[in-house]
Structures are given as structure tokens and as C-alpha cells.
């Protein structure tokens, strides 16, 4: 248990559906991240939030829409996804300041787009 | 731009044998280096990290890694592998300094090495 909780653990959705992934951390961290993990590919950083402000958007398609209402919660809203978006979506958090920091990961949401 | 290369996609070792997983990085300044492990269906768990100081770092589960600046490497080792070590291992590099105060640390991951342990 890393202190980062993601729900749901598994999600199957059609291409016309709208769904949301949720991430929650109570570690007191001020930075939160969304990563995409596809088979045979390195983890891809999607979004970064620091103190609730989005500081990074790595050319992610607009069908992925992040939301960070506070430093403890991060959402990823999904709509009109494509089958190639099927992947494991990992949330992480870290303490943005200080030298000895590390990212703590949730267990991920396994997303299947049909 | 920073990058991480894990040249071995899949490694198979016998239980009790020693293990070394390779990681090479490219980064323009002093990097922060990490090894994570991912069991099937799970998220990533930090094994160890290197920020500065002693270049041989100890981690959890009996793992260690050595930072070699001259070789731009951060290889992961374990003297005796257990069947429960079967998993995927990721090396990651992050910036050693923040662009501005309060910037979030970002990691670049390698593509991973899948470890199989034979009984």
C-alpha cells in the first residue's frame, strides 16, 4: 500500500462512453501525475499538476481531460476514446519541493476500450 | 532531453542465482535515478533511489544498485534471486534541480525488463 489509491481498478468502456478515473492521496504531497502504460512501451507521462495547477501536458489528445480540484484528488475524464487508448493508467504523487523526493504510484486502472 | 535505456527486455534466471539488470541514462546534468518494480496487475513500487553521495545504494528486498557516472549507468543487482522477485523492473531518471521553486519532479522511465525466475 503506497498511500495512492486509484478507482476503479478495471474499466471497460465503449468508444462513445464518458467515464472518469479517480486518484486520491493523503500523503501530503503537492504534485500529482497521470501516466499511461501500454504494452511494450515505456511509461508515458500525460499530465502533471503542482499545487492544483497543471504544469505539464505532454501532447495528450483532448479526449483525455484531467481535473485536480485539490492537492489530494486527481481525475482523468475520458470521452470518445479509441481502442488504442486501452492501457494501464497510473496515478502518482510526490512532494514537489525538497531534494529527496520520489514518486509514489497507485495500483493503476486497467482500461479497455471496445 | 533525458532518456533511459534498459537493453534487456526479458531476463530469465534460476532461483538462487545472482541478478543484474542494466540501465543506461542520458541526461545533461546530475540525474536522480530510481528503480521501480511492478508485479502483475499492480502499480509501481520504489526499490531504491540515488540522489548523491555513496554510489552504491541499498534498497528494499535485498536489491542494490550502483551509479557509474563515467558509464551513465545505474544497474540493479541482487546476489540471490527469489521466486517472488519475478516482476517487471523499471529504471527512471529525474532532474536534479527544479526549474523554479515548487516545480513538480518528472520522471522518464525505461521500457522495462521482465524478470522470470525458474524454480
Amino acid at each position: 500500500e503506497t498511500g495512492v489509491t486509484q478507482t476503479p481498478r478495471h474499466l471497460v468502456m465503449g468508444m462513445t462512453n464518458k467515464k472518469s478515473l479517480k486518484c486520491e492521496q493523503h500523503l501530503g504531497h503537492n504534485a500529482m501525475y497521470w501516466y499511461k502504460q501500454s504494452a511494450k512501451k515505456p511509461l508515458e507521462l500525460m499530465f502533471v499538476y503542482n499545487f492544483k495547477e497543471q504544469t505539464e501536458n505532454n501532447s495528450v489528445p483532448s479526449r483525455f481531460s484531467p481535473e485536480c480540484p485539490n492537492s489530494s484528488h486527481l481525475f482523468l475524464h475520458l470521452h470518445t476514446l479509441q481502442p488504442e487508448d486501452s492501457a494501464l493508467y497510473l496515478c502518482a504523487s510526490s512532494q514537489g519541493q525538497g531534494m529527496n523526493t520520489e514518486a509514489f504510484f497507485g495500483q493503476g486502472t486497467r482500461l479497455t476500450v471496445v | 532531453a533525458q532518456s533511459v535505456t534498459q537493453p534487456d527486455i526479458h531476463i530469465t534466471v534460476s532461483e538462487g542465482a545472482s541478478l543484474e539488470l542494466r540501465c543506461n541514462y542520458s541526461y545533461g546534468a546530475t540525474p536522480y535515478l530510481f528503480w521501480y518494480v511492478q508485479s502483475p496487475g499492480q502499480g509501481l513500487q520504489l526499490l531504491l533511489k540515488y540522489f548523491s553521495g555513496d554510489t552504491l545504494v541499498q534498497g528494499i528486498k535485498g536489491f542494490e544498485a550502483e551509479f557509474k557516472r563515467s558509464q551513465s549507468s545505474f544497474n540493479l543487482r541482487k546476489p540471490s534471486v527469489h521466486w517472488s522477485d519475478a516482476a517487471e523492473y523499471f529504471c527512471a531518471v529525474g532532474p536534479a534541480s527544479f526549474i523554479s521553486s515548487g516545480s513538480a519532479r518528472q520522471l522518464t522511465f525505461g521500457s522495462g525488463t521482465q524478470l522470470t525466475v525458474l524454480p
Side-chain angles (χ1 to χ4, degrees):
Chain A
E1 185 62 47
T2 64
V4 181
T5 303
Q6 289 186 243
T7 54
R9 292 292 309 277
H10 300 272
L11 177 64
V12 179
M13 60 185 288
M15 290 189 285
T16 59
N17 291 160
K18 291 184 180 181
K19 297 287 185 182
S20 296
L21 310 184
K22 179 182 177 182
C23 178
E24 184 173 356
Q25 60 92 5
H26 295 289
L27 301 170
H29 292 166
N30 52 270
M32 297 187 77
Y33 314 76
W34 280 116
Y35 284 87
K36 177 183 179 183
Q37 186 179 31
S38 304
K40 310 299 183 186
K41 294 176 67 175
L43 270 73
E44 302 171 59
L45 180 64
M46 300 174 71
F47 300 105
V48 180
Y49 277 82
N50 194 34
F51 291 104
K52 303 188 298 180
E53 299 296 322
Q54 186 178 130
T55 59
E56 187 78 21
N57 176 340
N58 279 354
S59 303
V60 180
S62 60
R63 56 185 184 271
F64 294 91
S65 174
E67 178 190 1
C68 189
N70 54 62
S71 294
S72 298
H73 294 85
L74 183 65
F75 295 89
L76 187 63
H77 303 300
L78 316 171
H79 64 97
T80 59
L81 295 191
Q82 304 299 311
E84 60 264 30
D85 296 322
S86 299
L88 181 68
Y89 288 85
L90 292 166
C91 173
S93 71
S94 70
Q95 190 61 33
Q97 295 181 348
M99 301 302 280
N100 289 319
T101 67
E102 64 204 52
F104 290 78
F105 285 81
Q107 293 182 305
T109 294
R110 173 68 63 187
L111 173 67
T112 303
V113 181
V114 297
Chain B
Q2 58 199 55
S3 67
V4 177
T5 301
Q6 293 179 245
D8 303 306
I9 297 174
H10 198 165
I11 283 184
T12 300
V13 298
S14 298
E15 190 170 17
S18 63
L19 172 70
E20 182 169 28
L21 303 182
R22 295 184 290 167
C23 172
N24 293 97
Y25 68 90
S26 173
Y27 195 70
T30 302
Y32 285 172
L33 295 157
F34 307 81
W35 274 100
Y36 284 86
V37 60
Q38 185 179 33
S39 298
Q42 302 296 313
L44 277 69
Q45 180 185 20
L46 182 69
L47 282 176
L48 48 79
K49 59 190 178 185
Y50 172 79
F51 290 109
S52 65
D54 193 346
T55 56
L56 183 64
V57 293
Q58 302 298 320
I60 62 171
K61 305 184 179 184
F63 285 92
E64 66 178 28
E66 186 171 12
F67 171 59
K68 293 185 177 180
R69 184 187 300 275
S70 61
Q71 299 177 19
S72 297
S73 69
F74 189 58
N75 294 347
L76 181 71
R77 300 194 294 251
K78 187 170 184 178
S80 178
V81 171
H82 188 263
W83 64 267
S84 61
D85 294 324
E88 190 157 20
Y89 292 79
F90 294 91
C91 181
V93 62
S97 62
F98 297 113
I99 297 173
S100 62
S101 175
S103 296
R105 185 179 302 280
Q106 300 175 27
L107 298 180
T108 298
F109 286 82
S111 53
T113 297
Q114 183 68 48
L115 174 65
T116 298
V117 180
L118 300 177

